[in-house]
Amino acid sequence: MSEPRPSRYPLLRRRRRARGGRRVWRPGPRLRLGIVLVAALVVLGGVVALALRPSPPSADQLFARSLAALERGNIHAAYADAQAAARAAPQAGIVQAVLARTLIDLGEGAAAEAALDRAVAVGFPNGRLHQLRAAASLLQGDPDAALAHVAQAEPAYADYALRVRARALAAKGQGAAAQAELGDLLSRSPGDGAAWADLGRIRLSAGEVGGAAAAAAQAVRMAPRDPAALTLQGEVVRSRYGLVGALPWFEAALRSDAYYHPALIEYAGTLGDAGRATDALAATRRALVSRPGSQQAYYLQAVIAARAGNRVLARRLLQLTGGVIGDIPGVMLLDGALAFADRQDEQAAGIWRRLVAAQPMNVTARRLLANALLRSGDAAGALDVIRPIVLRGDADGYALRLAARASATLGQHAQAAQLLDRAASGQRGPSTIFQSADALGALQAEASRAAGDPTYALGVIRGLASGGNLPQAVAQARALVAAAPGAPAAQLAYGDTLAASGRYAEAVAAYGRAADLSFDEPALLRLLDAYGRLNRPRDAAATLALYLSQNPQSIVGARILGGWQLGGGEVGAAIETLEGVRAAAGDREAGLLADLARAYALISEGAVARIYGRAAYALAPMSAAVTDAYGVALIAAGDRNGARQLLDKAVALAPGDAAIRAHRAEIGGAAAAR
């Protein structure tokens, strides 16, 4: 074999074999020169980069940056720069004081107090720190210590100290005094955005949504980049208009400070309620970066897990809260639900009993507690809890069946039969005032001891209405509205007393004012009921459309919409809406299943209609509407004989219902003429 020709490129020529027979590659002179030049350039570039690299900021520069970040509302950036400045100049007391201020704004009271102690230790005058010590004490749950420090604050810091004093008074239950003090401050300094935010927060906590809205709007106007003011505005908008409208305000707060914990928590909760679970989970993770171990973030993650059906994960996440936020209604509701699902009935009952004590008019909580008590063997307790609901004309079938089971367990069979008849009929009377379990005298005594607290005044109004003294109930409700025009609860109570008196035109105006302050499900349902009684279907439709645009996950709203769509001939849309409700709420509402049976019958899906009709009839066999729906479903399925029997029964149950008689007439036979 001939030898290969040598390459024309020197660097590719074969080298002689080294000792041992192996060929050794060696760079040629040109390559060696290139390597040297590249190495020299790398070294020279590194030297140049080091020479051009800016020197680290000084303590003074970091301190100035921290103050600037505070001014533009980026509290986390202010904290980071203040912390770096404190490391660079550990003997600078003023830096420690500003570091404490940033920690206070982040809600870290204990860390702020430690920074203040360091400031004093390096010679900073303690007299200039009392207002900050007051804020740190308040964050640690000691309003009395906060007030003591406020009393020692120097005049130069009077405005800040007064704001802390107002918050401390509110924490002690003296909301009226707190608002008065902030009013005095704002009369002197109307441009104080932080004071407006404090006033709005106190008003919102007291249920004065109208006053809170005015204060929040002023706070945002005076401090447009303050994340606290923007978060408050988001909460007010969520209360007044709904979930979707609130999101931009929380997003604006997070543009000022991407890790502002209160905004992240409110944002995550709002996203979750709006059905955006993935985005909500991302927000909770940011909240845990902002505040490691955040109980609120773990709770929201537990809610997301529970909604996804992962009870084990939900329980684990709820345990991570450490019980610190266990008195929050939402936490009690979830904690009890997880215990109940795990058959820990007594534990669930204990949790829900605390919830009912805190919110006696919470119908959902009463149903849950009654069910837990009944399942744990306390039928008498269950009946006591559910009684205020079943006494109402608009009691739902689930509550009536619970009460019937409890009555039967106690041997009260006649009462149980009456309750079952009511549940089976499906007939619901008009909404009424929530019955009070306490004597009127006791309610009035409590109200006199807590003058100025609208909660007790509402109790008196309920007591008067429960006793049949509607004129006085209306008068007291009107007085409460005059005293607290921005409180939605007062407007609802006034509307309820008017509706109970048959004055629906006036009631709808009161309900409208309540909805303008807090557009929640109670306000929605009252408005729709009043519009229906006044024969104002367009107003009712507009109200429901507005509500669903802001609360797209509302099961109650969707259920009403589906019924209206079916009644209006939009069968395809009705099926889509009602199936969504069934997927979310389950198969225990006879009316929902009956509507689905009718809808599928209208599109000639007889087999499906029969399934839904049979399920509805099993739940409410004495309901004329449900029996009629089952009969219509059987017509669509081709079972005319079965349909005839059911429709005969429906006519007997509701002889004056023209629609039922028309359905019976469709299949003919002797009974059609009854």
Side-chain angles (χ1 to χ4, degrees):
M1 181 181 295
S2 61
E3 289 290 329
R5 297 177 58 190
S7 171
R8 59 181 293 192
Y9 300 104
L11 294 179
L12 298 181
R13 291 174 185 166
R14 292 181 182 272
R15 300 296 176 186
R16 295 180 181 179
R17 292 181 181 272
R19 289 189 301 271
R22 293 186 307 168
R23 294 183 181 276
V24 178
W25 178 86
R26 293 185 179 87
R30 293 182 182 179
L31 181 57
R32 288 197 297 272
L33 177 60
I35 291 172
V36 171
L37 289 174
V38 169
L41 288 173
V42 169
V43 172
L44 179 60
V47 172
V48 172
L50 287 171
L52 294 179
R53 188 177 66 182
S55 58
S58 66
D60 288 342
Q61 290 172 323
L62 290 166
F63 181 66
R65 278 178 15 186
S66 177
L67 293 176
L70 266 179
E71 183 67 23
R72 66 175 182 270
N74 193 336
I75 302 168
H76 278 84
Y79 164 71
D81 285 331
Q83 191 178 45
R87 285 196 298 266
Q91 300 302 310
I94 185 63
V95 174
Q96 293 289 349
V98 171
L99 176 60
R101 168 63 189 277
T102 63
L103 287 164
I104 287 167
D105 287 350
L106 290 175
E108 302 289 348
E113 188 171 5
L116 293 171
D117 289 340
R118 290 195 298 270
V120 173
V122 296
F124 196 81
N126 190 48
R128 295 174 59 185
L129 300 176
H130 283 298
Q131 74 284 352
L132 295 179
R133 288 194 182 277
S137 297
L138 185 59
L139 285 172
Q140 296 175 80
D142 193 345
D144 291 323
L147 292 172
H149 281 297
V150 165
Q152 301 177 67
E154 294 184 357
Y157 312 108
D159 286 359
Y160 186 94
L162 196 152
R163 287 177 44 222
V164 178
R165 174 177 168 78
R167 297 200 301 271
L169 290 172
K172 289 170 65 69
Q174 303 174 30
Q179 293 188 49
E181 298 222 2
L182 286 170
D184 291 341
L185 169 59
L186 288 166
S187 66
R188 299 192 308 271
S189 305
D192 190 337
W196 281 113
D198 286 341
L199 179 60
R201 177 67 60 192
I202 291 170
R203 285 176 172 174
L204 188 62
S205 298
E208 269 282 344
V209 181
Q218 282 292 98
V220 170
R221 190 174 297 114
M222 299 303 170
R225 294 182 296 184
D226 179 9
L230 292 165
T231 301
L232 173 65
Q233 180 75 320
E235 292 177 63
V236 169
V237 169
R238 182 177 60 199
S239 173
R240 295 188 68 183
Y241 307 117
L243 303 170
V244 177
L247 292 173
W249 291 103
F250 299 134
E251 290 162 356
L254 294 172
R255 282 196 295 272
S256 287
D257 184 345
Y259 288 92
Y260 184 61
H261 185 264
L264 285 169
I265 292 300
E266 298 298 337
Y267 188 47
T270 307
L271 286 167
D273 288 344
R276 294 169 55 182
T278 302
D279 294 334
L281 185 59
T284 62
R285 288 170 175 163
R286 283 170 60 191
L288 286 167
V289 172
S290 168
R291 185 174 296 176
S294 166
Q295 293 91 2
Q296 296 97 324
Y298 284 135
Y299 159 64
L300 291 174
Q301 289 184 350
V303 171
I304 294 169
R307 286 172 175 168
N310 192 337
R311 295 204 313 271
V312 174
L313 178 58
R315 170 62 66 192
R316 188 179 305 131
L317 289 165
L318 201 58
Q319 288 172 347
L320 290 175
T321 67
V324 176
I325 57 175
D327 289 334
I328 295 176
V331 177
M332 287 190 279
L333 195 65
L334 175 62
D335 197 11
L338 294 173
F340 188 77
D342 292 337
R343 307 294 298 188
Q344 299 170 354
D345 301 328
E346 292 185 1
Q347 181 181 342
I351 296 167
W352 286 334
R353 185 178 284 109
R354 290 191 293 117
L355 177 56
V356 169
Q359 298 182 336
M361 291 187 292
N362 188 328
V363 174
T364 299
R366 283 185 176 273
R367 290 197 205 99
L368 293 171
L369 175 57
N371 199 8
L373 289 170
L374 190 59
R375 210 165 75 174
S376 66
D378 186 2
L383 195 57
D384 286 341
V385 168
I386 207 73
R387 182 175 288 111
I389 299 176
V390 300
L391 288 175
R392 295 167 59 95
D394 63 345
D396 61 282
Y398 181 73
L400 291 167
R401 285 190 292 272
L402 277 177
R405 285 168 52 201
S407 298
T409 302
L410 294 170
Q412 302 169 6
H413 299 294
Q415 178 175 299
Q418 292 174 355
L419 291 166
L420 285 174
D421 286 345
R422 283 180 62 191
S425 72
Q427 302 298 318
R428 298 181 68 173
S431 299
T432 57
I433 297 286
F434 199 92
Q435 299 290 312
S436 175
D438 299 323
L440 178 59
L443 293 168
Q444 290 172 330
E446 288 180 347
S448 64
R449 285 194 299 268
D453 189 330
T455 303
Y456 294 97
L458 288 169
V460 172
I461 294 167
R462 290 199 306 274
L464 289 167
S466 300
N469 193 344
L470 287 174
Q472 192 174 351
V474 170
Q476 295 235 3
R478 186 186 299 113
L480 182 59
V481 166
Q491 299 285 357
L492 285 178
Y494 184 39
D496 287 346
T497 59
L498 291 169
S501 304
R503 297 157 61 178
Y504 289 104
E506 297 171 82
V508 80
Y511 292 149
R513 291 191 294 270
D516 185 54
L517 295 168
S518 183
F519 198 17
D520 54 10
E521 282 185 359
L524 169 73
L525 294 175
R526 285 170 167 86
L527 272 173
L528 295 182
D529 180 66
Y531 282 137
R533 294 176 186 280
L534 294 171
N535 195 25
R536 293 167 58 178
R538 290 186 179 179
D539 290 328
T543 300
L544 180 61
L546 178 60
Y547 183 82
L548 286 173
S549 71
Q550 291 295 315
N551 302 276
Q553 296 296 303
S554 171
I555 295 175
V556 170
R559 175 69 185 93
I560 295 169
L561 175 63
W564 287 2
Q565 288 171 331
L566 183 59
E570 303 174 45
V571 182
I575 289 175
E576 182 178 356
T577 302
L578 295 173
E579 286 286 14
V581 173
R582 188 183 68 84
D587 299 323
R588 300 300 300 170
E589 187 194 334
L592 171 63
L593 299 175
D595 278 353
L596 281 165
R598 292 189 190 92
Y600 281 107
L602 286 171
I603 60 172
S604 301
E605 289 283 351
V608 180
R610 182 201 295 265
I611 292 170
Y612 280 123
R614 183 189 302 121
Y617 187 72
L619 291 172
M622 297 304 293
S623 166
V626 168
T627 305
D628 173 65
Y630 191 16
V632 169
L634 291 183
I635 293 174
D639 184 359
R640 298 179 68 83
N641 186 48
R644 184 178 295 109
Q645 296 177 45
L646 286 167
L647 291 172
D648 283 344
K649 178 180 178 180
V651 170
L653 289 170
D657 191 311
I660 293 177
R661 295 184 69 84
H663 294 154
R664 177 62 185 84
E666 285 181 23
I667 55 175
R674 288 180 186 171

